[in-house]
Amino acid sequence: MNIADEIKRLHELHQSGALTDAEFAQAKEKLLASFNANASQVGANGENPFAHLNQLRRSKTDQWLGGVCGGLGKFTGMETWIWRLMFFLFVACFGFGVIAYLLAWIFIPEEA
């Protein structure tokens, strides 16, 4: 359940008379405090789901052009040839594979 659902549930309990005004205010404050504590822990502990994207690097050793597919292979654990095949299919079928590869080549840093 997310925070909005929890507050809605508390409001429904308050409207039905199961919670007094003071109990509703106290429960809402406690809920918001726990939500803020969880949000600060996510940032502090590095549990941010996008934090691991900083590890994405272009490969120096496994490359044909810019090392993008080699880097994606290391990052995802998939074979490099699968990424190369996917980019080729996007180029052949849809035409935007070249643009996607060039943007990745520009914006993904090279491994040290």
Side-chain angles (χ1 to χ4, degrees):
M1 235 182 219
N2 62 19
I3 188 82
D5 292 338
E6 291 286 337
I7 290 177
K8 182 180 177 185
R9 187 178 61 85
L10 284 175
H11 181 69
E12 289 170 355
L13 288 172
H14 182 258
Q15 291 295 325
S16 68
L19 293 176
T20 64
D21 290 338
E23 291 172 334
F24 173 70
Q26 183 181 12
K28 189 169 84 170
E29 233 176 271
K30 187 176 179 181
L31 179 66
L32 291 174
S34 69
F35 176 74
N36 288 337
N38 288 340
S40 65
Q41 285 178 355
V42 166
N45 293 338
E47 294 175 12
N48 184 351
F50 299 109
H52 69 284
L53 285 177
N54 291 331
Q55 299 171 356
L56 178 60
R57 298 284 186 257
R58 287 185 291 125
S59 176
K60 283 185 176 180
T61 56
D62 186 12
Q63 66 179 357
W64 282 3
L65 290 175
V68 173
C69 294
L72 285 170
K74 286 181 184 176
F75 181 72
T76 61
M78 290 173 42
E79 294 289 328
T80 306
W81 67 268
I82 296 172
W83 284 105
R84 290 186 178 117
L85 179 65
M86 286 174 34
F87 274 109
F88 175 76
L89 290 175
F90 281 129
V91 168
C93 297
F94 307 113
F96 65 85
V98 174
I99 295 170
Y101 192 89
L102 289 175
L103 288 174
W105 194 348
I106 292 169
F107 290 111
I108 297 175
E110 193 172 46
E111 67 186 1

